[in-house]
Amino acid sequence: MSEPQGAGTGEGSTQRLPVVERGAGTDTEPGPYESGVPDGPALGRAGRFWSTRRVPAGIVALVLLLLAGAFLYDIAAVRAGRSALGWRRDLARQLAERPVDDTWVLVGAGVAAALGLWLLVLALTPGLRLLLPMRRTHPGVRAALHRDAAATVLRDRAMEVSGVQSARVRMRRRRARVRALSHFRELDDVRADLDGVLDGAVRGLGLARPPAVSLRVKRPGRKG
């Protein structure tokens, strides 16, 4: 490290800042993410991101608000000495007269059960399936990679292999399906190069659960 050299302390003077000098034989190690792979240990479990479910929650809240408001208004009207509304009298009569095995009762029960099951699934599943959690290498920091972005990276890396004419990638949570067309070179050689390139590309994504790569290479179809 060279010593700071001052050129004066008055106005208009300049000062050289310390500069770190490396010897010719000094080994340099890439910093975090310079090599494409996070080199720090994983800190904690990188779980999936949970959706806020704003639309389903808003719909349920609005429906419950309307139903509760209608029943509350009718009950308050009855308490005030007015007669109950016609729809509530009809509803009470239908519930009292219709048997349990009636078709409309069964249909209504099925719809209510399906809606309840749907709400339970929304409450117990994280959602946001398009986001792939990345490894946590810094405390308090969580990151995710979109599936389309990951697929684009793998496709671009596949196109760098000699002999690949086109490539298509379908990214899922556990598997990446790569379909490539090779217009020259032996298919086995192209497949071997693609295996190495795609394995490195998947590791370079820094995902918490790197997907398995399913690769298929073939010749393009004949035209005409």
Side-chain angles (χ1 to χ4, degrees), residues 7 16 44 51 81 84 87 96 121 129-132 152 163 181 189 204:
R16 173 181 286 181
S51 174
W87 65 268
V121 171
R129 299 179 61 86
L130 295 179
L131 296 182
L132 302 175
T152 300
L181 297 180
D189 296 339

Short mmCIF file of all heavy atoms in Angstrom, two decimals, residues 7 16 44 51 81 84 87 96 121 129-132 152 163 181 189 204:
data_model
loop_
_atom_site.label_atom_id
_atom_site.label_comp_id
_atom_site.label_asym_id
_atom_site.label_seq_id
_atom_site.Cartn_x
_atom_site.Cartn_y
_atom_site.Cartn_z
N ALA A 7 -0.06 17.38 -1.34
CA ALA A 7 0.47 18.42 -2.22
C ALA A 7 0.16 19.79 -1.68
O ALA A 7 0.04 20.75 -2.42
CB ALA A 7 -0.08 18.25 -3.62
N ARG A 16 -3.40 13.07 -3.00
CA ARG A 16 -3.56 11.72 -3.53
C ARG A 16 -4.08 10.81 -2.43
O ARG A 16 -3.56 10.80 -1.33
CB ARG A 16 -2.22 11.20 -4.04
CG ARG A 16 -2.28 9.73 -4.45
CD ARG A 16 -0.97 9.20 -4.93
NE ARG A 16 -0.67 9.70 -6.27
CZ ARG A 16 0.44 9.37 -6.94
NH1 ARG A 16 1.34 8.61 -6.37
NH2 ARG A 16 0.63 9.83 -8.15
N GLY A 44 -30.03 -19.86 7.03
CA GLY A 44 -31.44 -20.14 7.25
C GLY A 44 -32.09 -20.77 6.02
O GLY A 44 -31.51 -20.89 4.95
N SER A 51 -48.27 -15.10 -1.03
CA SER A 51 -49.10 -14.08 -1.66
C SER A 51 -50.00 -13.42 -0.62
O SER A 51 -50.44 -14.06 0.34
CB SER A 51 -49.95 -14.70 -2.77
OG SER A 51 -50.86 -13.75 -3.30
N GLY A 81 -90.69 -2.53 14.89
CA GLY A 81 -92.12 -2.71 14.72
C GLY A 81 -92.57 -2.93 13.30
O GLY A 81 -93.78 -3.07 13.05
N ALA A 84 -90.97 -8.08 8.57
CA ALA A 84 -89.73 -8.53 7.95
C ALA A 84 -89.84 -8.42 6.43
O ALA A 84 -90.93 -8.47 5.85
CB ALA A 84 -89.44 -9.97 8.35
N TRP A 87 -87.91 -11.19 1.20
CA TRP A 87 -86.89 -12.18 0.88
C TRP A 87 -86.50 -13.00 2.10
O TRP A 87 -86.21 -14.20 1.98
CB TRP A 87 -85.67 -11.50 0.26
CG TRP A 87 -84.93 -10.56 1.21
CD1 TRP A 87 -85.15 -9.24 1.35
CD2 TRP A 87 -83.90 -10.92 2.12
NE1 TRP A 87 -84.31 -8.71 2.30
CE2 TRP A 87 -83.52 -9.73 2.79
CE3 TRP A 87 -83.26 -12.11 2.45
CZ2 TRP A 87 -82.54 -9.71 3.76
CZ3 TRP A 87 -82.27 -12.08 3.42
CH2 TRP A 87 -81.91 -10.89 4.06
N ALA A 96 -87.51 -24.13 5.95
CA ALA A 96 -88.36 -24.96 6.81
C ALA A 96 -89.09 -26.05 6.03
O ALA A 96 -89.35 -27.14 6.55
CB ALA A 96 -89.37 -24.08 7.54
N VAL A 121 -57.63 -23.71 0.72
CA VAL A 121 -56.43 -23.89 -0.11
C VAL A 121 -55.67 -22.57 -0.23
O VAL A 121 -54.43 -22.54 -0.13
CB VAL A 121 -56.82 -24.44 -1.49
CG1 VAL A 121 -55.63 -24.41 -2.44
CG2 VAL A 121 -57.34 -25.86 -1.37
N ARG A 129 -46.22 -18.77 -7.42
CA ARG A 129 -45.48 -19.91 -7.95
C ARG A 129 -44.46 -19.51 -9.00
O ARG A 129 -43.57 -20.29 -9.35
CB ARG A 129 -46.45 -20.93 -8.53
CG ARG A 129 -47.44 -21.50 -7.53
CD ARG A 129 -48.38 -22.49 -8.18
NE ARG A 129 -47.68 -23.62 -8.74
CZ ARG A 129 -47.35 -24.70 -8.05
NH1 ARG A 129 -47.66 -24.79 -6.75
NH2 ARG A 129 -46.73 -25.71 -8.63
N LEU A 130 -44.58 -18.30 -9.54
CA LEU A 130 -43.64 -17.85 -10.55
C LEU A 130 -42.33 -17.35 -9.96
O LEU A 130 -41.39 -17.06 -10.71
CB LEU A 130 -44.27 -16.75 -11.40
CG LEU A 130 -45.48 -17.16 -12.25
CD1 LEU A 130 -46.01 -15.98 -13.02
CD2 LEU A 130 -45.12 -18.29 -13.19
N LEU A 131 -42.25 -17.23 -8.64
CA LEU A 131 -41.03 -16.75 -7.99
C LEU A 131 -40.26 -17.94 -7.41
O LEU A 131 -40.80 -18.72 -6.63
CB LEU A 131 -41.36 -15.75 -6.88
CG LEU A 131 -42.02 -14.44 -7.32
CD1 LEU A 131 -42.24 -13.55 -6.12
CD2 LEU A 131 -41.18 -13.73 -8.37
N LEU A 132 -38.99 -18.06 -7.78
CA LEU A 132 -38.12 -19.12 -7.28
C LEU A 132 -37.22 -18.54 -6.20
O LEU A 132 -36.43 -17.63 -6.47
CB LEU A 132 -37.27 -19.68 -8.43
CG LEU A 132 -38.04 -20.24 -9.63
CD1 LEU A 132 -37.08 -20.64 -10.74
CD2 LEU A 132 -38.91 -21.41 -9.22
N THR A 152 -34.88 -17.54 -19.42
CA THR A 152 -34.14 -16.75 -20.39
C THR A 152 -32.64 -16.93 -20.23
O THR A 152 -31.90 -17.04 -21.22
CB THR A 152 -34.51 -15.26 -20.25
OG1 THR A 152 -35.91 -15.10 -20.47
CG2 THR A 152 -33.77 -14.42 -21.27
N GLY A 163 -23.20 -25.33 -32.48
CA GLY A 163 -24.08 -26.33 -33.08
C GLY A 163 -25.54 -26.17 -32.73
O GLY A 163 -26.39 -26.82 -33.35
N LEU A 181 -32.39 -27.58 -30.79
CA LEU A 181 -32.23 -28.06 -32.16
C LEU A 181 -30.79 -27.82 -32.58
O LEU A 181 -30.27 -26.70 -32.44
CB LEU A 181 -33.20 -27.34 -33.10
CG LEU A 181 -34.70 -27.54 -32.85
CD1 LEU A 181 -35.51 -26.76 -33.87
CD2 LEU A 181 -35.07 -29.02 -32.89
N ASP A 189 -22.15 -34.93 -29.01
CA ASP A 189 -21.21 -33.88 -28.61
C ASP A 189 -21.97 -32.62 -28.16
O ASP A 189 -21.60 -31.99 -27.17
CB ASP A 189 -20.28 -33.53 -29.77
CG ASP A 189 -19.39 -34.71 -30.17
OD1 ASP A 189 -19.22 -35.61 -29.32
OD2 ASP A 189 -18.90 -34.73 -31.32
N GLY A 204 -25.27 -21.09 -11.26
CA GLY A 204 -25.07 -19.65 -11.25
C GLY A 204 -26.32 -18.85 -10.94
O GLY A 204 -26.22 -17.67 -10.59
#
